[in-house]
PDB file of all heavy atoms in Angstrom:
ATOM      1  N   GLN A  13     -23.336 -33.543  22.439  1.00 79.00           N
ATOM      2  CA  GLN A  13     -23.755 -33.136  23.779  1.00 79.00           C
ATOM      3  C   GLN A  13     -22.916 -31.966  24.270  1.00 79.00           C
ATOM      4  O   GLN A  13     -21.773 -31.789  23.864  1.00 79.00           O
ATOM      5  CB  GLN A  13     -23.606 -34.311  24.759  1.00 79.00           C
ATOM      6  CG  GLN A  13     -24.529 -35.492  24.455  1.00 79.00           C
ATOM      7  CD  GLN A  13     -24.305 -36.606  25.444  1.00 79.00           C
ATOM      8  OE1 GLN A  13     -23.253 -37.212  25.461  1.00 79.00           O
ATOM      9  NE2 GLN A  13     -25.289 -36.844  26.286  1.00 79.00           N
ATOM     10  N   THR A  14     -23.521 -31.178  25.157  1.00 80.00           N
ATOM     11  CA  THR A  14     -22.800 -30.053  25.769  1.00 80.00           C
ATOM     12  C   THR A  14     -22.417 -30.430  27.193  1.00 80.00           C
ATOM     13  O   THR A  14     -23.044 -31.282  27.824  1.00 80.00           O
ATOM     14  CB  THR A  14     -23.670 -28.791  25.775  1.00 80.00           C
ATOM     15  OG1 THR A  14     -24.864 -29.046  26.519  1.00 80.00           O
ATOM     16  CG2 THR A  14     -24.033 -28.383  24.355  1.00 80.00           C
ATOM     17  N   TYR A  15     -21.368 -29.775  27.713  1.00 82.00           N
ATOM     18  CA  TYR A  15     -20.916 -30.031  29.080  1.00 82.00           C
ATOM     19  C   TYR A  15     -20.290 -28.769  29.654  1.00 82.00           C
ATOM     20  O   TYR A  15     -19.872 -27.865  28.932  1.00 82.00           O
ATOM     21  CB  TYR A  15     -19.919 -31.189  29.128  1.00 82.00           C
ATOM     22  CG  TYR A  15     -18.613 -30.922  28.432  1.00 82.00           C
ATOM     23  CD1 TYR A  15     -17.495 -30.455  29.131  1.00 82.00           C
ATOM     24  CD2 TYR A  15     -18.484 -31.140  27.053  1.00 82.00           C
ATOM     25  CE1 TYR A  15     -16.297 -30.202  28.478  1.00 82.00           C
ATOM     26  CE2 TYR A  15     -17.284 -30.898  26.392  1.00 82.00           C
ATOM     27  CZ  TYR A  15     -16.188 -30.426  27.113  1.00 82.00           C
ATOM     28  OH  TYR A  15     -15.007 -30.184  26.487  1.00 82.00           O
ATOM     29  N   HIS A  20     -16.213 -30.797  33.981  1.00 84.00           N
ATOM     30  CA  HIS A  20     -16.052 -31.990  33.147  1.00 84.00           C
ATOM     31  C   HIS A  20     -15.129 -31.705  31.967  1.00 84.00           C
ATOM     32  O   HIS A  20     -14.848 -30.542  31.636  1.00 84.00           O
ATOM     33  CB  HIS A  20     -17.422 -32.482  32.627  1.00 84.00           C
ATOM     34  CG  HIS A  20     -18.289 -33.051  33.706  1.00 84.00           C
ATOM     35  ND1 HIS A  20     -18.971 -32.242  34.608  1.00 84.00           N
ATOM     36  CD2 HIS A  20     -18.572 -34.342  34.058  1.00 84.00           C
ATOM     37  CE1 HIS A  20     -19.645 -33.009  35.454  1.00 84.00           C
ATOM     38  NE2 HIS A  20     -19.422 -34.283  35.143  1.00 84.00           N
ATOM     39  N   ILE A  27     -17.901 -37.484  27.714  1.00 83.00           N
ATOM     40  CA  ILE A  27     -17.850 -36.487  28.779  1.00 83.00           C
ATOM     41  C   ILE A  27     -17.477 -37.196  30.076  1.00 83.00           C
ATOM     42  O   ILE A  27     -18.144 -38.143  30.504  1.00 83.00           O
ATOM     43  CB  ILE A  27     -19.205 -35.764  28.927  1.00 83.00           C
ATOM     44  CG1 ILE A  27     -19.569 -35.057  27.610  1.00 83.00           C
ATOM     45  CG2 ILE A  27     -19.166 -34.785  30.088  1.00 83.00           C
ATOM     46  CD1 ILE A  27     -20.943 -34.447  27.597  1.00 83.00           C
ATOM     47  N   LYS A 483     -34.721 -34.362  23.283  1.00 80.00           N
ATOM     48  CA  LYS A 483     -33.597 -34.319  24.218  1.00 80.00           C
ATOM     49  C   LYS A 483     -34.030 -34.659  25.647  1.00 80.00           C
ATOM     50  O   LYS A 483     -33.201 -35.058  26.465  1.00 80.00           O
ATOM     51  CB  LYS A 483     -32.947 -32.943  24.198  1.00 80.00           C
ATOM     52  CG  LYS A 483     -32.263 -32.600  22.876  1.00 80.00           C
ATOM     53  CD  LYS A 483     -31.656 -31.210  22.925  1.00 80.00           C
ATOM     54  CE  LYS A 483     -31.008 -30.837  21.600  1.00 80.00           C
ATOM     55  NZ  LYS A 483     -30.439 -29.471  21.631  1.00 80.00           N
ATOM     56  N   ARG A 484     -35.317 -34.494  25.961  1.00 79.00           N
ATOM     57  CA  ARG A 484     -35.808 -34.811  27.318  1.00 79.00           C
ATOM     58  C   ARG A 484     -35.953 -36.313  27.517  1.00 79.00           C
ATOM     59  O   ARG A 484     -35.885 -36.794  28.642  1.00 79.00           O
ATOM     60  CB  ARG A 484     -37.145 -34.120  27.552  1.00 79.00           C
ATOM     61  CG  ARG A 484     -37.054 -32.599  27.609  1.00 79.00           C
ATOM     62  CD  ARG A 484     -38.414 -31.993  27.903  1.00 79.00           C
ATOM     63  NE  ARG A 484     -38.352 -30.543  27.972  1.00 79.00           N
ATOM     64  CZ  ARG A 484     -39.398 -29.760  28.213  1.00 79.00           C
ATOM     65  NH1 ARG A 484     -40.610 -30.336  28.393  1.00 79.00           N
ATOM     66  NH2 ARG A 484     -39.268 -28.452  28.275  1.00 79.00           N
ATOM     67  N   GLU A 485     -36.200 -37.077  26.436  1.00 79.00           N
ATOM     68  CA  GLU A 485     -36.497 -38.504  26.572  1.00 79.00           C
ATOM     69  C   GLU A 485     -35.359 -39.416  26.105  1.00 79.00           C
ATOM     70  O   GLU A 485     -35.254 -40.551  26.555  1.00 79.00           O
ATOM     71  CB  GLU A 485     -37.758 -38.835  25.763  1.00 79.00           C
ATOM     72  CG  GLU A 485     -38.984 -38.057  26.231  1.00 79.00           C
ATOM     73  CD  GLU A 485     -40.172 -38.308  25.331  1.00 79.00           C
ATOM     74  OE1 GLU A 485     -40.019 -39.052  24.346  1.00 79.00           O
ATOM     75  OE2 GLU A 485     -41.253 -37.733  25.606  1.00 79.00           O
ATOM     76  N   HIS A 486     -34.510 -38.932  25.206  1.00 84.00           N
ATOM     77  CA  HIS A 486     -33.469 -39.788  24.654  1.00 84.00           C
ATOM     78  C   HIS A 486     -32.126 -39.063  24.581  1.00 84.00           C
ATOM     79  O   HIS A 486     -32.045 -37.849  24.728  1.00 84.00           O
ATOM     80  CB  HIS A 486     -33.849 -40.263  23.233  1.00 84.00           C
ATOM     81  CG  HIS A 486     -35.037 -41.168  23.203  1.00 84.00           C
ATOM     82  ND1 HIS A 486     -36.342 -40.688  23.224  1.00 84.00           N
ATOM     83  CD2 HIS A 486     -35.126 -42.534  23.155  1.00 84.00           C
ATOM     84  CE1 HIS A 486     -37.188 -41.711  23.193  1.00 84.00           C
ATOM     85  NE2 HIS A 486     -36.474 -42.841  23.144  1.00 84.00           N
ATOM     86  N   ASN A 487     -31.065 -39.859  24.338  1.00 86.00           N
ATOM     87  CA  ASN A 487     -29.726 -39.359  24.069  1.00 86.00           C
ATOM     88  C   ASN A 487     -29.197 -40.057  22.829  1.00 86.00           C
ATOM     89  O   ASN A 487     -29.575 -41.210  22.549  1.00 86.00           O
ATOM     90  CB  ASN A 487     -28.773 -39.636  25.239  1.00 86.00           C
ATOM     91  CG  ASN A 487     -28.468 -38.361  26.012  1.00 86.00           C
ATOM     92  OD1 ASN A 487     -28.218 -37.325  25.423  1.00 86.00           O
ATOM     93  ND2 ASN A 487     -28.502 -38.457  27.340  1.00 86.00           N
ATOM     94  N   CYS A 489     -26.002 -41.675  21.467  1.00 85.00           N
ATOM     95  CA  CYS A 489     -24.695 -42.168  21.905  1.00 85.00           C
ATOM     96  C   CYS A 489     -24.078 -43.009  20.794  1.00 85.00           C
ATOM     97  O   CYS A 489     -24.636 -44.054  20.423  1.00 85.00           O
ATOM     98  CB  CYS A 489     -24.818 -43.000  23.175  1.00 85.00           C
ATOM     99  SG  CYS A 489     -25.520 -42.085  24.581  1.00 85.00           S
ATOM    100  N   ARG A 494     -30.588 -43.859  22.544  1.00 83.00           N
ATOM    101  CA  ARG A 494     -30.697 -44.569  23.812  1.00 83.00           C
ATOM    102  C   ARG A 494     -31.708 -43.844  24.686  1.00 83.00           C
ATOM    103  O   ARG A 494     -31.790 -42.605  24.661  1.00 83.00           O
ATOM    104  CB  ARG A 494     -29.346 -44.631  24.522  1.00 83.00           C
ATOM    105  CG  ARG A 494     -28.307 -45.474  23.779  1.00 83.00           C
ATOM    106  CD  ARG A 494     -28.638 -46.972  23.922  1.00 83.00           C
ATOM    107  NE  ARG A 494     -27.636 -47.814  23.303  1.00 83.00           N
ATOM    108  CZ  ARG A 494     -27.717 -48.321  22.093  1.00 83.00           C
ATOM    109  NH1 ARG A 494     -28.804 -48.062  21.351  1.00 83.00           N
ATOM    110  NH2 ARG A 494     -26.765 -49.070  21.602  1.00 83.00           N
ATOM    111  N   SER A 495     -32.478 -44.642  25.464  1.00 82.00           N
ATOM    112  CA  SER A 495     -33.465 -44.039  26.365  1.00 82.00           C
ATOM    113  C   SER A 495     -32.740 -43.285  27.468  1.00 82.00           C
ATOM    114  O   SER A 495     -31.639 -43.647  27.888  1.00 82.00           O
ATOM    115  CB  SER A 495     -34.364 -45.126  26.959  1.00 82.00           C
ATOM    116  OG  SER A 495     -33.585 -46.060  27.697  1.00 82.00           O
ATOM    117  N   GLY A 496     -33.386 -42.244  27.947  1.00 79.00           N
ATOM    118  CA  GLY A 496     -32.798 -41.428  28.997  1.00 79.00           C
ATOM    119  C   GLY A 496     -32.256 -40.135  28.422  1.00 79.00           C
ATOM    120  O   GLY A 496     -31.312 -40.135  27.642  1.00 79.00           O
ATOM    121  N   GLY A 497     -32.867 -39.038  28.795  1.00 75.00           N
ATOM    122  CA  GLY A 497     -32.433 -37.741  28.274  1.00 75.00           C
ATOM    123  C   GLY A 497     -32.318 -36.710  29.370  1.00 75.00           C
ATOM    124  O   GLY A 497     -32.241 -37.029  30.558  1.00 75.00           O
ATOM    125  N   GLY A 498     -32.262 -35.476  28.986  1.00 73.00           N
ATOM    126  CA  GLY A 498     -32.164 -34.384  29.939  1.00 73.00           C
ATOM    127  C   GLY A 498     -30.760 -34.252  30.512  1.00 73.00           C
ATOM    128  O   GLY A 498     -29.810 -34.906  30.103  1.00 73.00           O
ATOM    129  N   ILE A 499     -30.637 -33.390  31.541  1.00 71.00           N
ATOM    130  CA  ILE A 499     -29.316 -33.110  32.129  1.00 71.00           C
ATOM    131  C   ILE A 499     -28.836 -34.255  33.009  1.00 71.00           C
ATOM    132  O   ILE A 499     -27.668 -34.281  33.411  1.00 71.00           O
ATOM    133  CB  ILE A 499     -29.368 -31.813  32.954  1.00 71.00           C
ATOM    134  CG1 ILE A 499     -30.402 -31.919  34.079  1.00 71.00           C
ATOM    135  CG2 ILE A 499     -29.687 -30.622  32.056  1.00 71.00           C
ATOM    136  CD1 ILE A 499     -30.397 -30.723  35.027  1.00 71.00           C
ATOM    137  N   ASN A 500     -29.719 -35.236  33.347  1.00 76.00           N
ATOM    138  CA  ASN A 500     -29.327 -36.335  34.233  1.00 76.00           C
ATOM    139  C   ASN A 500     -28.845 -37.570  33.470  1.00 76.00           C
ATOM    140  O   ASN A 500     -28.607 -38.604  34.088  1.00 76.00           O
ATOM    141  CB  ASN A 500     -30.508 -36.718  35.140  1.00 76.00           C
ATOM    142  CG  ASN A 500     -30.829 -35.610  36.122  1.00 76.00           C
ATOM    143  OD1 ASN A 500     -29.924 -34.926  36.595  1.00 76.00           O
ATOM    144  ND2 ASN A 500     -32.117 -35.421  36.410  1.00 76.00           N
ATOM    145  N   HIS A 501     -28.717 -37.498  32.179  1.00 81.00           N
ATOM    146  CA  HIS A 501     -28.244 -38.643  31.409  1.00 81.00           C
ATOM    147  C   HIS A 501     -27.187 -38.190  30.401  1.00 81.00           C
ATOM    148  O   HIS A 501     -27.428 -37.256  29.633  1.00 81.00           O
ATOM    149  CB  HIS A 501     -29.406 -39.336  30.666  1.00 81.00           C
ATOM    150  CG  HIS A 501     -30.278 -40.145  31.586  1.00 81.00           C
ATOM    151  ND1 HIS A 501     -31.246 -39.559  32.364  1.00 81.00           N
ATOM    152  CD2 HIS A 501     -30.300 -41.481  31.846  1.00 81.00           C
ATOM    153  CE1 HIS A 501     -31.865 -40.493  33.084  1.00 81.00           C
ATOM    154  NE2 HIS A 501     -31.307 -41.671  32.788  1.00 81.00           N
ATOM    155  N   TRP A 502     -26.022 -38.867  30.477  1.00 84.00           N
ATOM    156  CA  TRP A 502     -24.928 -38.601  29.543  1.00 84.00           C
ATOM    157  C   TRP A 502     -24.584 -39.898  28.828  1.00 84.00           C
ATOM    158  O   TRP A 502     -25.023 -40.981  29.211  1.00 84.00           O
ATOM    159  CB  TRP A 502     -23.691 -38.082  30.294  1.00 84.00           C
ATOM    160  CG  TRP A 502     -23.881 -36.694  30.867  1.00 84.00           C
ATOM    161  CD1 TRP A 502     -24.950 -35.895  30.709  1.00 84.00           C
ATOM    162  CD2 TRP A 502     -22.951 -35.993  31.691  1.00 84.00           C
ATOM    163  NE1 TRP A 502     -24.776 -34.700  31.372  1.00 84.00           N
ATOM    164  CE2 TRP A 502     -23.537 -34.734  31.988  1.00 84.00           C
ATOM    165  CE3 TRP A 502     -21.691 -36.283  32.207  1.00 84.00           C
ATOM    166  CZ2 TRP A 502     -22.904 -33.786  32.772  1.00 84.00           C
ATOM    167  CZ3 TRP A 502     -21.053 -35.336  32.982  1.00 84.00           C
ATOM    168  CH2 TRP A 502     -21.649 -34.087  33.254  1.00 84.00           C
ATOM    169  N   CYS A 503     -23.751 -39.754  27.780  1.00 85.00           N
ATOM    170  CA  CYS A 503     -23.316 -40.911  27.019  1.00 85.00           C
ATOM    171  C   CYS A 503     -21.998 -41.466  27.532  1.00 85.00           C
ATOM    172  O   CYS A 503     -21.100 -40.698  27.904  1.00 85.00           O
ATOM    173  CB  CYS A 503     -23.163 -40.552  25.533  1.00 85.00           C
ATOM    174  SG  CYS A 503     -24.724 -40.322  24.666  1.00 85.00           S
ATOM    175  N   CYS A 504     -21.897 -42.791  27.560  1.00 86.00           N
ATOM    176  CA  CYS A 504     -20.639 -43.467  27.870  1.00 86.00           C
ATOM    177  C   CYS A 504     -20.510 -44.590  26.835  1.00 86.00           C
ATOM    178  O   CYS A 504     -21.124 -45.655  26.973  1.00 86.00           O
ATOM    179  CB  CYS A 504     -20.653 -44.036  29.286  1.00 86.00           C
ATOM    180  SG  CYS A 504     -19.113 -44.879  29.746  1.00 86.00           S
ATOM    181  N   GLU A 507     -23.793 -46.340  25.607  1.00 86.00           N
ATOM    182  CA  GLU A 507     -24.784 -46.413  26.677  1.00 86.00           C
ATOM    183  C   GLU A 507     -24.976 -45.035  27.296  1.00 86.00           C
ATOM    184  O   GLU A 507     -24.157 -44.131  27.124  1.00 86.00           O
ATOM    185  CB  GLU A 507     -24.328 -47.395  27.752  1.00 86.00           C
ATOM    186  CG  GLU A 507     -24.079 -48.823  27.246  1.00 86.00           C
ATOM    187  CD  GLU A 507     -23.598 -49.728  28.362  1.00 86.00           C
ATOM    188  OE1 GLU A 507     -24.023 -49.517  29.505  1.00 86.00           O
ATOM    189  OE2 GLU A 507     -22.773 -50.611  28.089  1.00 86.00           O
ATOM    190  N   THR A 508     -26.081 -44.908  28.073  1.00 85.00           N
ATOM    191  CA  THR A 508     -26.321 -43.686  28.842  1.00 85.00           C
ATOM    192  C   THR A 508     -26.128 -43.989  30.321  1.00 85.00           C
ATOM    193  O   THR A 508     -26.266 -45.138  30.763  1.00 85.00           O
ATOM    194  CB  THR A 508     -27.747 -43.157  28.612  1.00 85.00           C
ATOM    195  OG1 THR A 508     -28.702 -44.149  28.993  1.00 85.00           O
ATOM    196  CG2 THR A 508     -27.950 -42.787  27.149  1.00 85.00           C
ATOM    197  N   TYR A 509     -25.791 -42.947  31.084  1.00 84.00           N
ATOM    198  CA  TYR A 509     -25.645 -43.119  32.534  1.00 84.00           C
ATOM    199  C   TYR A 509     -25.993 -41.811  33.224  1.00 84.00           C
ATOM    200  O   TYR A 509     -25.952 -40.730  32.622  1.00 84.00           O
ATOM    201  CB  TYR A 509     -24.222 -43.550  32.892  1.00 84.00           C
ATOM    202  CG  TYR A 509     -23.178 -42.464  32.726  1.00 84.00           C
ATOM    203  CD1 TYR A 509     -22.703 -41.743  33.832  1.00 84.00           C
ATOM    204  CD2 TYR A 509     -22.661 -42.164  31.471  1.00 84.00           C
ATOM    205  CE1 TYR A 509     -21.757 -40.760  33.671  1.00 84.00           C
ATOM    206  CE2 TYR A 509     -21.704 -41.190  31.309  1.00 84.00           C
ATOM    207  CZ  TYR A 509     -21.247 -40.477  32.410  1.00 84.00           C
ATOM    208  OH  TYR A 509     -20.304 -39.499  32.261  1.00 84.00           O
ATOM    209  N   ASN A 510     -26.330 -41.952  34.511  1.00 83.00           N
ATOM    210  CA  ASN A 510     -26.662 -40.794  35.344  1.00 83.00           C
ATOM    211  C   ASN A 510     -25.375 -40.294  35.995  1.00 83.00           C
ATOM    212  O   ASN A 510     -24.785 -40.976  36.834  1.00 83.00           O
ATOM    213  CB  ASN A 510     -27.678 -41.194  36.418  1.00 83.00           C
ATOM    214  CG  ASN A 510     -28.228 -39.984  37.153  1.00 83.00           C
ATOM    215  OD1 ASN A 510     -27.547 -38.985  37.319  1.00 83.00           O
ATOM    216  ND2 ASN A 510     -29.475 -40.079  37.603  1.00 83.00           N
ATOM    217  N   PRO A 511     -24.863 -39.105  35.642  1.00 81.00           N
ATOM    218  CA  PRO A 511     -23.575 -38.641  36.164  1.00 81.00           C
ATOM    219  C   PRO A 511     -23.577 -38.355  37.664  1.00 81.00           C
ATOM    220  O   PRO A 511     -22.513 -38.259  38.266  1.00 81.00           O
ATOM    221  CB  PRO A 511     -23.319 -37.356  35.352  1.00 81.00           C
ATOM    222  CG  PRO A 511     -24.673 -36.901  34.924  1.00 81.00           C
ATOM    223  CD  PRO A 511     -25.479 -38.130  34.716  1.00 81.00           C
ATOM    224  N   SER A 512     -24.761 -38.237  38.258  1.00 79.00           N
ATOM    225  CA  SER A 512     -24.799 -37.990  39.705  1.00 79.00           C
ATOM    226  C   SER A 512     -24.538 -39.264  40.503  1.00 79.00           C
ATOM    227  O   SER A 512     -24.127 -39.206  41.669  1.00 79.00           O
ATOM    228  CB  SER A 512     -26.151 -37.385  40.094  1.00 79.00           C
ATOM    229  OG  SER A 512     -27.207 -38.282  39.772  1.00 79.00           O
ATOM    230  N   THR A 513     -24.734 -40.453  39.884  1.00 82.00           N
ATOM    231  CA  THR A 513     -24.533 -41.720  40.619  1.00 82.00           C
ATOM    232  C   THR A 513     -23.556 -42.658  39.941  1.00 82.00           C
ATOM    233  O   THR A 513     -23.143 -43.652  40.541  1.00 82.00           O
ATOM    234  CB  THR A 513     -25.882 -42.450  40.771  1.00 82.00           C
ATOM    235  OG1 THR A 513     -26.429 -42.721  39.460  1.00 82.00           O
ATOM    236  CG2 THR A 513     -26.873 -41.594  41.556  1.00 82.00           C
ATOM    237  N   ARG A 514     -23.176 -42.366  38.707  1.00 85.00           N
ATOM    238  CA  ARG A 514     -22.296 -43.251  37.959  1.00 85.00           C
ATOM    239  C   ARG A 514     -21.138 -42.473  37.339  1.00 85.00           C
ATOM    240  O   ARG A 514     -21.184 -41.254  37.201  1.00 85.00           O
ATOM    241  CB  ARG A 514     -23.086 -43.973  36.849  1.00 85.00           C
ATOM    242  CG  ARG A 514     -24.188 -44.869  37.343  1.00 85.00           C
ATOM    243  CD  ARG A 514     -23.636 -46.145  37.939  1.00 85.00           C
ATOM    244  NE  ARG A 514     -24.699 -47.025  38.439  1.00 85.00           N
ATOM    245  CZ  ARG A 514     -24.487 -48.218  38.941  1.00 85.00           C
ATOM    246  NH1 ARG A 514     -23.232 -48.665  39.019  1.00 85.00           N
ATOM    247  NH2 ARG A 514     -25.478 -48.973  39.378  1.00 85.00           N
ATOM    248  N   LEU A 515     -20.072 -43.220  36.943  1.00 87.00           N
ATOM    249  CA  LEU A 515     -18.924 -42.662  36.243  1.00 87.00           C
ATOM    250  C   LEU A 515     -18.733 -43.404  34.932  1.00 87.00           C
ATOM    251  O   LEU A 515     -19.070 -44.582  34.825  1.00 87.00           O
ATOM    252  CB  LEU A 515     -17.642 -42.788  37.073  1.00 87.00           C
ATOM    253  CG  LEU A 515     -17.450 -41.840  38.249  1.00 87.00           C
ATOM    254  CD1 LEU A 515     -16.190 -42.214  39.006  1.00 87.00           C
ATOM    255  CD2 LEU A 515     -17.360 -40.404  37.781  1.00 87.00           C
ATOM    256  N   VAL A 521     -19.482 -48.025  32.138  1.00 87.00           N
ATOM    257  CA  VAL A 521     -20.210 -47.392  33.238  1.00 87.00           C
ATOM    258  C   VAL A 521     -19.817 -48.067  34.545  1.00 87.00           C
ATOM    259  O   VAL A 521     -19.935 -49.290  34.690  1.00 87.00           O
ATOM    260  CB  VAL A 521     -21.729 -47.468  33.010  1.00 87.00           C
ATOM    261  CG1 VAL A 521     -22.471 -46.831  34.178  1.00 87.00           C
ATOM    262  CG2 VAL A 521     -22.109 -46.791  31.688  1.00 87.00           C
TER     263      VAL A 521
END
Side-chain angles (χ1 to χ4, degrees):
Q13 295 179 293
T14 60
Y15 66 95
H20 291 77
I27 300 174
K483 294 179 182 179
R484 293 182 180 180
E485 300 175 358
H486 294 82
N487 253 316
C489 300
R494 294 286 184 263
S495 60
I499 59 174
N500 293 325
H501 285 80
W502 291 356
C503 287
C504 181
E507 302 179 33
T508 59
Y509 71 100
N510 190 329
S512 61
T513 59
R514 298 286 179 177
L515 285 175
V521 179

